[in-house]
Amino acid sequence: MKTSRRTSSGIKSLQKLLIVFLAGSLVLSASCSRSEQPARETRYLMGTLVEITAYPATDRTRQAVNRAFARMEEIEDQADPYGSQTLEDLRRGNPSLLPAALSRILDVAMTVADRSSGAFDPTVGRAVRLWGFDGADPGIPPDSDLTDAVKTFGYSHLAVGPDNVARPLPPGRPLWLELGGVAKGYAVDEAADILVQEGVEAGIVNAGGDLRSFGPRPGWGQWRIGIQDPDDPQGLLGVLKIEGGSVATSGDYERYFEKDGVRYHHILDPANGRPSRSGIRSVTVIAETCALADALATAAFVMGPEKGLRLLETFTGVEGILVKAGGDLVVTSGIGERFDLERR
Amino acid sequence: MHGIIRKGPTLVDGMLVVMLFALTLLLSSLMRPSAPGSVLEVKTQAGEERLSLDREGRYPVSGPLGTAYIIVEDRMARLENAPCPLKICERMGPVGASGQTILCLPNRISVRVLGKVSVDAVSR
Protein backbone atom coordinates (compact mmCIF):
# COMPACT_ATOMS: atom_id res chain seq x y z
CA MET A 1 0.00 0.00 0.00
CA LYS A 2 2.92 2.29 0.85
CA THR A 3 4.53 1.52 -2.50
CA SER A 4 1.21 2.13 -4.24
CA ARG A 5 0.82 5.55 -2.59
CA ARG A 6 4.39 6.49 -3.50
CA THR A 7 3.82 5.40 -7.13
CA SER A 8 0.59 7.34 -7.21
CA SER A 9 2.23 10.54 -6.01
CA GLY A 10 5.09 9.96 -8.50
CA ILE A 11 2.61 9.70 -11.35
CA LYS A 12 0.83 12.86 -10.19
CA SER A 13 4.15 14.72 -10.20
CA LEU A 14 4.80 13.38 -13.69
CA GLN A 15 1.35 14.56 -14.77
CA LYS A 16 2.07 18.03 -13.39
CA LEU A 17 5.40 18.13 -15.22
CA LEU A 18 3.72 17.00 -18.42
CA ILE A 19 1.06 19.68 -18.10
CA VAL A 20 3.67 22.38 -17.57
CA PHE A 21 5.68 21.07 -20.55
CA LEU A 22 2.66 20.88 -22.84
CA ALA A 23 1.34 24.28 -21.82
CA GLY A 24 4.78 25.76 -22.46
CA SER A 25 5.01 24.03 -25.84
CA LEU A 26 1.57 25.29 -26.84
CA VAL A 27 2.37 28.89 -25.87
CA LEU A 28 5.73 28.68 -27.66
CA SER A 29 4.24 27.13 -30.81
CA ALA A 30 1.43 29.67 -30.90
CA SER A 31 3.85 32.58 -30.47
CA CYS A 32 6.17 31.15 -33.17
CA SER A 33 3.15 30.81 -35.41
CA ARG A 34 2.20 34.46 -34.81
CA SER A 35 5.72 35.78 -35.49
CA GLU A 36 5.80 33.76 -38.73
CA GLN A 37 2.79 35.64 -40.06
CA PRO A 38 4.00 38.22 -42.59
CA ALA A 39 2.42 41.40 -43.88
CA ARG A 40 1.83 40.75 -47.56
CA GLU A 41 0.75 43.19 -50.26
CA THR A 42 0.55 42.95 -54.03
CA ARG A 43 0.42 45.73 -56.63
CA TYR A 44 0.85 46.05 -60.40
CA LEU A 45 3.97 48.08 -61.09
CA MET A 46 6.55 48.31 -63.89
CA GLY A 47 4.50 46.00 -66.09
CA THR A 48 4.43 43.15 -63.61
CA LEU A 49 2.91 41.93 -60.37
CA VAL A 50 4.98 43.05 -57.39
CA GLU A 51 4.52 41.28 -54.08
CA ILE A 52 6.15 42.41 -50.84
CA THR A 53 6.21 39.96 -47.95
CA ALA A 54 7.55 41.40 -44.69
CA TYR A 55 7.94 40.02 -41.16
CA PRO A 56 6.48 40.46 -38.62
CA ALA A 57 2.96 41.58 -39.55
CA THR A 58 2.78 44.79 -37.51
CA ASP A 59 1.40 48.24 -38.31
CA ARG A 60 4.97 49.53 -38.51
CA THR A 61 5.83 46.86 -41.08
CA ARG A 62 2.74 47.72 -43.14
CA GLN A 63 3.73 51.40 -43.19
CA ALA A 64 7.20 50.41 -44.36
CA VAL A 65 5.69 48.27 -47.13
CA ASN A 66 3.65 51.28 -48.31
CA ARG A 67 6.79 53.43 -48.41
CA ALA A 68 8.62 50.73 -50.37
CA PHE A 69 5.83 50.64 -52.96
CA ALA A 70 5.85 54.45 -53.17
CA ARG A 71 9.59 54.36 -53.96
CA MET A 72 9.02 51.77 -56.67
CA GLU A 73 6.37 54.03 -58.23
CA GLU A 74 8.88 56.92 -58.34
CA ILE A 75 11.41 54.72 -60.14
CA GLU A 76 8.73 53.48 -62.52
CA ASP A 77 8.04 57.10 -63.53
CA GLN A 78 11.71 57.90 -64.05
CA ALA A 79 12.44 54.79 -66.15
CA ASP A 80 9.17 54.66 -68.11
CA PRO A 81 10.29 54.42 -71.76
CA TYR A 82 7.13 56.19 -72.93
CA GLY A 83 6.94 58.87 -70.23
CA SER A 84 10.54 59.75 -69.39
CA GLN A 85 11.70 63.04 -70.92
CA THR A 86 15.33 61.90 -70.52
CA LEU A 87 14.78 58.79 -72.62
CA GLU A 88 12.87 60.84 -75.20
CA ASP A 89 15.76 63.34 -75.42
CA LEU A 90 18.22 60.51 -76.07
CA ARG A 91 15.96 58.99 -78.75
CA ARG A 92 16.16 62.36 -80.51
CA GLY A 93 19.95 62.29 -80.22
CA ASN A 94 20.07 65.06 -77.62
CA PRO A 95 22.01 65.11 -74.34
CA SER A 96 19.95 64.86 -71.18
CA LEU A 97 20.45 65.24 -67.44
CA LEU A 98 19.86 61.88 -65.76
CA PRO A 99 17.57 61.71 -62.73
CA ALA A 100 19.35 59.97 -59.83
CA ALA A 101 17.58 56.62 -60.22
CA LEU A 102 18.16 56.51 -63.98
CA SER A 103 21.82 57.29 -63.42
CA ARG A 104 22.25 54.26 -61.11
CA ILE A 105 20.23 51.98 -63.41
CA LEU A 106 22.37 53.02 -66.36
CA ASP A 107 25.53 52.47 -64.33
CA VAL A 108 24.62 48.79 -63.79
CA ALA A 109 23.49 48.39 -67.40
CA MET A 110 26.69 49.86 -68.83
CA THR A 111 28.90 47.78 -66.50
CA VAL A 112 27.26 44.53 -67.64
CA ALA A 113 27.27 45.68 -71.27
CA ASP A 114 31.00 46.26 -71.03
CA ARG A 115 31.81 43.03 -69.15
CA SER A 116 29.69 40.95 -71.57
CA SER A 117 31.17 42.65 -74.65
CA GLY A 118 27.74 43.88 -75.65
CA ALA A 119 25.77 40.62 -75.21
CA PHE A 120 23.69 42.74 -72.88
CA ASP A 121 23.10 46.11 -74.49
CA PRO A 122 20.74 48.75 -73.13
CA THR A 123 20.47 50.43 -76.54
CA VAL A 124 18.31 47.74 -78.24
CA GLY A 125 15.10 49.67 -77.53
CA ARG A 126 14.27 50.31 -81.20
CA ALA A 127 14.13 46.56 -81.92
CA VAL A 128 12.10 45.86 -78.77
CA ARG A 129 9.46 48.26 -80.05
CA LEU A 130 9.53 46.75 -83.55
CA TRP A 131 8.87 43.26 -82.19
CA GLY A 132 6.10 44.73 -80.04
CA PHE A 133 6.70 42.56 -76.97
CA ASP A 134 5.76 45.52 -74.81
CA GLY A 135 2.54 46.21 -76.68
CA ALA A 136 -0.73 44.68 -77.76
CA ASP A 137 0.29 43.35 -81.16
CA PRO A 138 3.65 41.53 -81.20
CA GLY A 139 4.84 40.18 -84.53
CA ILE A 140 7.82 39.64 -86.81
CA PRO A 141 9.06 43.00 -88.11
CA PRO A 142 10.22 43.42 -91.72
CA ASP A 143 13.92 42.63 -92.27
CA SER A 144 14.63 46.15 -93.54
CA ASP A 145 13.21 47.69 -90.34
CA LEU A 146 15.35 45.39 -88.21
CA THR A 147 18.44 46.24 -90.23
CA ASP A 148 17.80 49.93 -89.61
CA ALA A 149 17.17 49.29 -85.93
CA VAL A 150 20.45 47.42 -85.48
CA LYS A 151 22.25 50.53 -86.74
CA THR A 152 20.97 52.39 -83.66
CA PHE A 153 22.46 49.79 -81.27
CA GLY A 154 25.76 50.27 -79.44
CA TYR A 155 26.28 51.02 -75.78
CA SER A 156 29.66 52.57 -76.64
CA HIS A 157 27.74 55.40 -78.32
CA LEU A 158 26.45 56.54 -74.93
CA ALA A 159 28.63 58.54 -72.55
CA VAL A 160 27.69 59.71 -69.09
CA GLY A 161 29.87 62.52 -67.78
CA PRO A 162 30.69 63.55 -64.22
CA ASP A 163 27.96 66.18 -64.60
CA ASN A 164 25.49 63.23 -64.81
CA VAL A 165 24.50 64.22 -68.32
CA ALA A 166 24.02 61.39 -70.81
CA ARG A 167 25.32 62.24 -74.28
CA PRO A 168 24.95 60.32 -77.56
CA LEU A 169 28.23 59.79 -79.42
CA PRO A 170 28.54 61.31 -81.91
CA PRO A 171 26.14 64.11 -80.95
CA GLY A 172 22.80 63.73 -82.71
CA ARG A 173 22.90 59.93 -82.90
CA PRO A 174 19.50 58.57 -81.73
CA LEU A 175 19.74 56.19 -78.76
CA TRP A 176 16.76 53.99 -77.92
CA LEU A 177 17.36 52.83 -74.37
CA GLU A 178 15.65 49.68 -73.09
CA LEU A 179 16.12 49.56 -69.32
CA GLY A 180 13.03 47.54 -68.39
CA GLY A 181 14.62 44.55 -66.64
CA VAL A 182 17.42 46.45 -64.89
CA ALA A 183 15.03 49.23 -63.86
CA LYS A 184 12.69 46.65 -62.36
CA GLY A 185 15.62 45.06 -60.51
CA TYR A 186 16.78 48.44 -59.24
CA ALA A 187 13.26 49.22 -57.99
CA VAL A 188 13.25 45.89 -56.12
CA ASP A 189 16.62 46.80 -54.54
CA GLU A 190 15.39 50.22 -53.46
CA ALA A 191 12.19 48.75 -51.98
CA ALA A 192 14.18 46.18 -50.00
CA ASP A 193 16.57 48.90 -48.76
CA ILE A 194 13.64 50.96 -47.50
CA LEU A 195 12.20 47.99 -45.63
CA VAL A 196 15.57 47.38 -43.94
CA GLN A 197 15.98 51.08 -43.07
CA GLU A 198 12.48 51.09 -41.56
CA GLY A 199 13.45 48.26 -39.23
CA VAL A 200 11.59 45.40 -40.90
CA GLU A 201 13.23 42.20 -39.61
CA ALA A 202 12.95 40.05 -42.73
CA GLY A 203 11.22 40.16 -46.06
CA ILE A 204 11.17 39.53 -49.75
CA VAL A 205 10.33 41.88 -52.63
CA ASN A 206 9.25 39.90 -55.67
CA ALA A 207 8.63 41.66 -58.99
CA GLY A 208 7.33 38.97 -61.32
CA GLY A 209 10.04 36.50 -60.31
CA ASP A 210 12.95 38.97 -59.97
CA LEU A 211 13.39 39.27 -56.24
CA ARG A 212 15.48 40.35 -53.30
CA SER A 213 15.32 38.92 -49.78
CA PHE A 214 16.80 40.09 -46.49
CA GLY A 215 16.97 38.96 -42.87
CA PRO A 216 16.53 35.42 -41.55
CA ARG A 217 13.31 33.88 -42.85
CA PRO A 218 11.12 33.16 -39.79
CA GLY A 219 10.55 29.45 -39.34
CA TRP A 220 12.96 28.28 -42.03
CA GLY A 221 16.05 30.44 -41.40
CA GLN A 222 16.78 30.52 -45.12
CA TRP A 223 14.65 31.75 -48.00
CA ARG A 224 13.45 29.00 -50.30
CA ILE A 225 13.19 30.24 -53.89
CA GLY A 226 11.64 27.96 -56.49
CA ILE A 227 13.12 28.09 -59.99
CA GLN A 228 10.59 27.63 -62.76
CA ASP A 229 10.93 24.62 -65.02
CA PRO A 230 11.16 26.05 -68.57
CA ASP A 231 9.10 23.11 -69.85
CA ASP A 232 6.29 23.33 -67.30
CA PRO A 233 4.65 26.65 -66.38
CA GLN A 234 3.58 25.28 -62.99
CA GLY A 235 6.56 23.03 -62.30
CA LEU A 236 9.74 23.75 -60.40
CA LEU A 237 13.15 22.90 -61.75
CA GLY A 238 14.51 23.08 -58.22
CA VAL A 239 14.75 25.13 -55.07
CA LEU A 240 17.45 27.63 -54.13
CA LYS A 241 18.14 28.19 -50.46
CA ILE A 242 19.57 31.63 -49.74
CA GLU A 243 20.16 33.64 -46.59
CA GLY A 244 19.46 36.94 -48.32
CA GLY A 245 20.30 38.58 -51.62
CA SER A 246 18.72 38.62 -55.05
CA VAL A 247 17.58 36.09 -57.62
CA ALA A 248 16.55 36.88 -61.19
CA THR A 249 15.70 34.60 -64.09
CA SER A 250 15.57 35.22 -67.84
CA GLY A 251 13.76 32.59 -69.88
CA ASP A 252 12.33 32.09 -73.34
CA TYR A 253 8.91 31.25 -71.83
CA GLU A 254 8.24 34.62 -70.20
CA ARG A 255 6.99 36.63 -73.18
CA TYR A 256 6.74 35.00 -76.57
CA PHE A 257 4.56 34.17 -79.52
CA GLU A 258 4.66 31.30 -81.96
CA LYS A 259 4.40 31.45 -85.73
CA ASP A 260 4.69 28.50 -88.09
CA GLY A 261 5.90 26.37 -85.19
CA VAL A 262 8.72 28.74 -84.25
CA ARG A 263 8.86 30.44 -80.85
CA TYR A 264 9.79 34.11 -80.90
CA HIS A 265 10.70 35.27 -77.40
CA HIS A 266 11.54 38.70 -75.99
CA ILE A 267 15.27 38.32 -75.22
CA LEU A 268 16.89 39.94 -78.23
CA ASP A 269 20.44 39.37 -79.44
CA PRO A 270 22.09 42.78 -79.92
CA ALA A 271 24.09 41.29 -82.81
CA ASN A 272 21.02 41.09 -85.06
CA GLY A 273 17.98 42.39 -83.15
CA ARG A 274 16.30 38.98 -83.22
CA PRO A 275 15.33 36.57 -80.41
CA SER A 276 18.54 35.03 -79.10
CA ARG A 277 19.19 31.44 -80.28
CA SER A 278 22.13 30.61 -78.03
CA GLY A 279 21.00 27.13 -77.00
CA ILE A 280 19.66 28.26 -73.64
CA ARG A 281 16.12 28.04 -72.24
CA SER A 282 16.68 29.98 -69.02
CA VAL A 283 19.33 31.55 -66.82
CA THR A 284 18.90 32.14 -63.09
CA VAL A 285 21.40 34.42 -61.36
CA ILE A 286 22.01 34.95 -57.64
CA ALA A 287 23.66 38.26 -56.80
CA GLU A 288 23.69 40.83 -54.06
CA THR A 289 21.48 43.24 -56.00
CA CYS A 290 18.50 42.45 -58.18
CA ALA A 291 19.53 44.99 -60.84
CA LEU A 292 22.84 43.17 -61.37
CA ALA A 293 21.18 39.73 -61.27
CA ASP A 294 18.68 40.78 -63.93
CA ALA A 295 21.26 42.26 -66.31
CA LEU A 296 23.60 39.27 -65.90
CA ALA A 297 20.79 36.77 -66.52
CA THR A 298 20.00 38.47 -69.84
CA ALA A 299 23.68 38.70 -70.80
CA ALA A 300 24.38 35.03 -70.01
CA PHE A 301 21.25 33.97 -71.92
CA VAL A 302 22.48 35.74 -75.06
CA MET A 303 26.07 34.47 -74.67
CA GLY A 304 25.07 30.80 -74.41
CA PRO A 305 25.98 28.10 -71.90
CA GLU A 306 29.78 28.16 -72.08
CA LYS A 307 30.48 31.88 -72.47
CA GLY A 308 27.56 32.76 -70.21
CA LEU A 309 28.92 30.55 -67.45
CA ARG A 310 32.37 32.09 -67.82
CA LEU A 311 30.88 35.58 -67.55
CA LEU A 312 29.06 34.72 -64.30
CA GLU A 313 32.21 33.18 -62.83
CA THR A 314 34.07 36.47 -63.28
CA PHE A 315 31.75 38.30 -60.86
CA THR A 316 32.41 38.01 -57.12
CA GLY A 317 29.37 36.90 -55.13
CA VAL A 318 27.47 35.83 -58.24
CA GLU A 319 26.19 32.31 -58.91
CA GLY A 320 24.05 30.96 -61.72
CA ILE A 321 22.00 28.08 -63.09
CA LEU A 322 21.76 27.78 -66.86
CA VAL A 323 19.23 25.44 -68.49
CA LYS A 324 20.33 24.32 -71.93
CA ALA A 325 17.90 23.73 -74.79
CA GLY A 326 17.97 19.96 -74.26
CA GLY A 327 17.19 20.35 -70.56
CA ASP A 328 20.72 19.80 -69.21
CA LEU A 329 21.89 22.13 -66.46
CA VAL A 330 25.14 24.05 -66.16
CA VAL A 331 25.88 25.68 -62.81
CA THR A 332 28.61 27.95 -61.46
CA SER A 333 31.27 26.47 -59.22
CA GLY A 334 29.99 28.06 -56.01
CA ILE A 335 26.37 27.02 -56.17
CA GLY A 336 27.11 23.95 -53.99
CA GLU A 337 24.33 22.75 -51.74
CA ARG A 338 22.30 25.90 -52.17
CA PHE A 339 20.39 24.35 -55.09
CA ASP A 340 18.20 21.26 -54.82
CA LEU A 341 17.13 19.83 -58.14
CA GLU A 342 13.52 18.78 -57.94
CA ARG A 343 11.65 18.61 -61.22
CA ARG A 344 8.03 18.04 -60.21
CA MET B 1 -0.70 -0.44 -7.61
CA HIS B 2 -4.08 -2.07 -7.97
CA GLY B 3 -5.73 1.09 -6.61
CA ILE B 4 -4.29 3.17 -9.41
CA ILE B 5 -5.29 0.79 -12.17
CA ARG B 6 -8.86 0.67 -10.92
CA LYS B 7 -9.19 4.47 -10.97
CA GLY B 8 -11.06 5.92 -13.98
CA PRO B 9 -9.67 8.79 -16.09
CA THR B 10 -9.32 12.00 -14.05
CA LEU B 11 -9.78 15.62 -15.07
CA VAL B 12 -6.00 15.93 -15.30
CA ASP B 13 -5.87 12.96 -17.71
CA GLY B 14 -8.49 14.67 -19.86
CA MET B 15 -6.53 17.91 -19.89
CA LEU B 16 -3.40 16.05 -20.93
CA VAL B 17 -5.17 14.37 -23.84
CA VAL B 18 -6.68 17.68 -25.03
CA MET B 19 -3.33 19.49 -24.80
CA LEU B 20 -1.47 16.71 -26.62
CA PHE B 21 -4.09 16.78 -29.37
CA ALA B 22 -3.87 20.58 -29.69
CA LEU B 23 -0.07 20.48 -29.83
CA THR B 24 -0.14 17.78 -32.51
CA LEU B 25 -2.58 19.83 -34.61
CA LEU B 26 -0.53 23.01 -34.23
CA LEU B 27 2.79 21.37 -35.07
CA SER B 28 1.39 19.50 -38.06
CA SER B 29 -0.11 22.70 -39.46
CA LEU B 30 3.23 24.50 -39.04
CA MET B 31 5.32 21.76 -40.63
CA ARG B 32 3.04 20.70 -43.49
CA PRO B 33 4.61 21.07 -46.96
CA SER B 34 2.67 22.30 -50.00
CA ALA B 35 -0.55 20.42 -50.54
CA PRO B 36 -3.58 20.60 -52.80
CA GLY B 37 -5.38 23.88 -52.10
CA SER B 38 -9.08 24.50 -52.06
CA VAL B 39 -9.42 28.27 -52.39
CA LEU B 40 -8.48 30.52 -55.29
CA GLU B 41 -7.44 34.12 -54.65
CA VAL B 42 -8.38 36.19 -57.69
CA LYS B 43 -6.91 39.70 -57.96
CA THR B 44 -7.91 42.26 -60.56
CA GLN B 45 -7.81 46.04 -60.84
CA ALA B 46 -11.31 46.05 -59.33
CA GLY B 47 -10.17 44.24 -56.20
CA GLU B 48 -9.83 40.77 -54.75
CA GLU B 49 -12.25 37.87 -54.51
CA ARG B 50 -12.08 34.20 -53.59
CA LEU B 51 -13.42 31.17 -55.38
CA SER B 52 -13.69 27.61 -54.14
CA LEU B 53 -11.98 24.89 -56.14
CA ASP B 54 -14.83 22.65 -54.96
CA ARG B 55 -17.41 24.61 -56.95
CA GLU B 56 -17.03 23.80 -60.62
CA GLY B 57 -18.03 26.55 -63.02
CA ARG B 58 -17.06 29.27 -65.49
CA TYR B 59 -16.41 32.54 -63.70
CA PRO B 60 -15.98 35.85 -65.60
CA VAL B 61 -13.06 38.02 -64.53
CA SER B 62 -12.47 41.44 -66.05
CA GLY B 63 -9.40 43.56 -66.66
CA PRO B 64 -8.48 46.60 -68.75
CA LEU B 65 -8.39 44.52 -71.96
CA GLY B 66 -11.73 42.78 -71.40
CA THR B 67 -13.23 39.69 -69.83
CA ALA B 68 -11.57 36.31 -69.45
CA TYR B 69 -13.06 33.26 -67.75
CA ILE B 70 -11.75 31.16 -64.89
CA ILE B 71 -12.72 27.56 -65.50
CA VAL B 72 -12.89 25.42 -62.35
CA GLU B 73 -13.20 21.68 -62.89
CA ASP B 74 -11.79 18.58 -61.18
CA ARG B 75 -10.44 20.85 -58.39
CA MET B 76 -8.20 22.64 -60.92
CA ALA B 77 -8.46 26.14 -62.39
CA ARG B 78 -7.39 27.66 -65.69
CA LEU B 79 -8.00 30.83 -67.71
CA GLU B 80 -9.98 30.74 -70.95
CA ASN B 81 -10.93 33.31 -73.62
CA ALA B 82 -8.23 35.71 -72.42
CA PRO B 83 -8.29 38.96 -74.44
CA CYS B 84 -4.50 39.52 -74.10
CA PRO B 85 -2.30 39.31 -77.23
CA LEU B 86 0.09 36.47 -76.34
CA LYS B 87 -2.31 34.18 -74.37
CA ILE B 88 0.56 33.04 -72.15
CA CYS B 89 -1.85 33.02 -69.18
CA GLU B 90 -4.01 30.37 -70.88
CA ARG B 91 -0.93 28.15 -71.16
CA MET B 92 -0.01 28.65 -67.47
CA GLY B 93 -2.88 26.52 -66.21
CA PRO B 94 -4.40 24.40 -64.91
CA VAL B 95 -3.42 25.03 -61.28
CA GLY B 96 -4.52 23.16 -58.18
CA ALA B 97 -1.62 22.94 -55.73
CA SER B 98 -0.98 25.55 -53.05
CA GLY B 99 1.06 28.47 -54.29
CA GLN B 100 0.52 27.80 -57.99
CA THR B 101 -0.30 30.98 -59.87
CA ILE B 102 -1.71 32.11 -63.20
CA LEU B 103 -0.73 35.63 -64.22
CA CYS B 104 -2.13 37.74 -67.02
CA LEU B 105 0.00 40.88 -66.90
CA PRO B 106 -1.57 42.72 -69.86
CA ASN B 107 -5.05 42.24 -68.40
CA ARG B 108 -3.85 42.61 -64.79
CA ILE B 109 -5.34 39.40 -63.48
CA SER B 110 -3.71 37.04 -61.01
CA VAL B 111 -5.13 33.74 -59.82
CA ARG B 112 -3.37 31.97 -56.95
CA VAL B 113 -4.17 28.77 -55.09
CA LEU B 114 -4.05 29.57 -51.39
CA GLY B 115 -2.56 27.30 -48.74
CA LYS B 116 0.74 26.37 -47.16
CA VAL B 117 3.60 26.41 -49.66
CA SER B 118 7.06 24.90 -49.75
CA VAL B 119 8.77 27.97 -51.26
CA ASP B 120 8.71 31.70 -50.50
CA ALA B 121 8.69 32.77 -54.13
CA VAL B 122 9.23 31.44 -57.64
CA SER B 123 11.85 33.04 -59.87
CA ARG B 124 10.61 32.91 -63.46
Side-chain angles (χ1 to χ4, degrees):
Chain A
M1 199 60 189
K2 219 176 195 178
T3 315
S4 172
R5 221 177 277 137
R6 240 186 249 145
T7 314
S8 167
S9 100
I11 286 179
K12 277 179 184 165
S13 300
L14 193 65
Q15 279 180 330
K16 279 179 193 163
L17 266 174
L18 255 173
I19 287 173
V20 170
F21 169 74
L22 282 172
S25 301
L26 274 169
V27 169
L28 194 65
S29 303
S31 68
C32 282
S33 172
R34 267 199 304 276
S35 71
E36 284 174 24
Q37 292 305 310
R40 184 174 283 127
E41 188 166 338
T42 310
R43 295 186 194 173
Y44 277 96
L45 280 170
M46 310 190 85
T48 193
L49 193 71
V50 180
E51 181 175 81
I52 296 182
T53 306
Y55 295 84
T58 61
D59 286 345
R60 191 178 166 193
T61 299
R62 289 187 192 91
Q63 285 167 8
V65 168
N66 281 332
R67 285 191 198 103
F69 272 122
R71 178 67 183 135
M72 293 184 85
E73 283 168 7
E74 285 172 17
I75 295 165
E76 180 180 38
D77 287 344
Q78 288 188 24
D80 176 10
Y82 300 99
S84 160
Q85 185 57 48
T86 303
L87 298 183
E88 179 59 28
D89 288 344
L90 291 169
R91 278 196 291 273
R92 293 174 185 275
N94 297 324
S96 190
L97 180 66
L98 294 170
L102 213 47
S103 173
R104 295 193 194 102
I105 292 165
L106 210 48
D107 189 35
V108 176
M110 294 294 273
T111 299
V112 175
D114 195 39
R115 296 278 293 270
S116 68
S117 304
F120 173 85
D121 192 330
T123 63
V124 297
R126 182 81 191 106
V128 172
R129 286 216 186 169
L130 285 174
W131 283 94
F133 284 110
D134 53 348
D137 189 24
I140 305 170
D143 282 348
S144 56
D145 289 358
L146 269 181
T147 305
D148 288 344
V150 171
K151 290 175 188 164
T152 69
F153 295 177
Y155 69 96
S156 58
H157 293 284
L158 174 66
V160 181
D163 53 358
N164 226 21
V165 172
R167 293 181 174 81
L169 297 174
R173 180 189 171 103
L175 284 172
W176 293 67
L177 294 189
E178 166 59 33
L179 299 169
V182 190
K184 190 170 67 174
Y186 177 75
V188 166
D189 292 328
E190 286 283 291
D193 285 347
I194 283 175
L195 293 174
V196 171
Q197 286 159 18
E198 297 281 338
V200 174
E201 292 168 16
I204 188 162
V205 182
N206 180 2
D210 291 355
L211 56 94
R212 180 158 166 182
S213 61
F214 62 91
R217 201 282 197 193
W220 293 348
Q222 295 175 310
W223 298 93
R224 293 171 56 87
I225 311 299
I227 306 301
Q228 185 178 330
D229 185 341
D231 292 320
D232 177 2
Q234 294 301 335
L236 293 186
L237 180 73
V239 176
L240 267 175
K241 291 164 288 179
I242 56 173
E243 288 171 358
S246 301
V247 181
T249 298
S250 287
D252 68 1
Y253 47 80
E254 291 173 273
R255 271 177 284 157
Y256 67 91
F257 64 88
E258 288 177 338
K259 191 168 184 195
D260 301 328
V262 178
R263 177 178 290 204
Y264 297 89
H265 61 81
H266 74 295
I267 305 170
L268 302 183
D269 186 342
N272 53 27
R274 297 171 190 278
S276 169
R277 309 284 182 210
S278 63
I280 279 190
R281 296 293 317 281
S282 75
V283 178
T284 297
V285 172
I286 311 167
E288 188 181 343
T289 68
C290 195
L292 180 63
D294 192 287
L296 283 176
T298 304
F301 187 103
V302 172
M303 293 172 89
E306 289 80 23
K307 288 181 182 170
L309 189 70
R310 279 206 295 276
L311 171 75
L312 298 182
E313 296 279 18
T314 64
F315 280 81
T316 306
V318 166
E319 301 296 341
I321 301 159
L322 296 80
V323 184
K324 294 161 83 171
D328 290 342
L329 299 189
V330 185
V331 298
T332 51
S333 53
I335 201 96
E337 293 177 354
R338 276 190 275 183
F339 181 61
D340 290 334
L341 188 65
E342 90 172 56
R343 284 181 196 269
R344 70 180 188 188
Chain B
M1 199 68 183
H2 278 261
I4 298 161
I5 292 167
R6 275 201 305 272
K7 250 185 176 175
T10 63
L11 182 64
V12 176
D13 294 333
M15 279 171 65
L16 276 173
V17 170
V18 169
M19 287 172 91
L20 267 173
F21 184 66
L23 189 65
T24 308
L25 271 183
L26 198 58
L27 288 178
S28 68
S29 76
L30 287 175
M31 297 168 73
R32 193 175 57 207
S34 66
S38 59
V39 177
L40 287 177
E41 175 195 71
V42 182
K43 285 185 177 175
T44 64
Q45 272 187 316
E48 183 182 319
E49 62 176 309
R50 298 197 173 188
L51 296 174
S52 170
L53 275 176
D54 296 323
R55 291 185 61 190
E56 296 201 345
R58 191 168 187 263
Y59 303 93
V61 55
S62 296
L65 298 184
T67 301
Y69 291 87
I70 298 172
I71 310 298
V72 177
E73 57 187 11
D74 296 333
R75 295 185 55 79
M76 303 286 274
R78 60 189 160 83
L79 271 185
E80 196 176 84
N81 286 4
C84 54
L86 299 180
K87 316 276 185 206
I88 290 173
C89 54
E90 290 188 0
R91 283 169 262 178
M92 289 179 85
V95 294
S98 299
Q100 289 188 324
T101 304
I102 299 172
L103 274 180
C104 182
L105 292 175
N107 209 19
R108 299 196 163 195
I109 293 168
S110 87
V111 178
R112 172 157 59 181
V113 185
L114 296 180
K116 288 261 179 198
V117 293
S118 58
V119 293
D120 291 296
V122 176
S123 186
R124 45 171 62 95

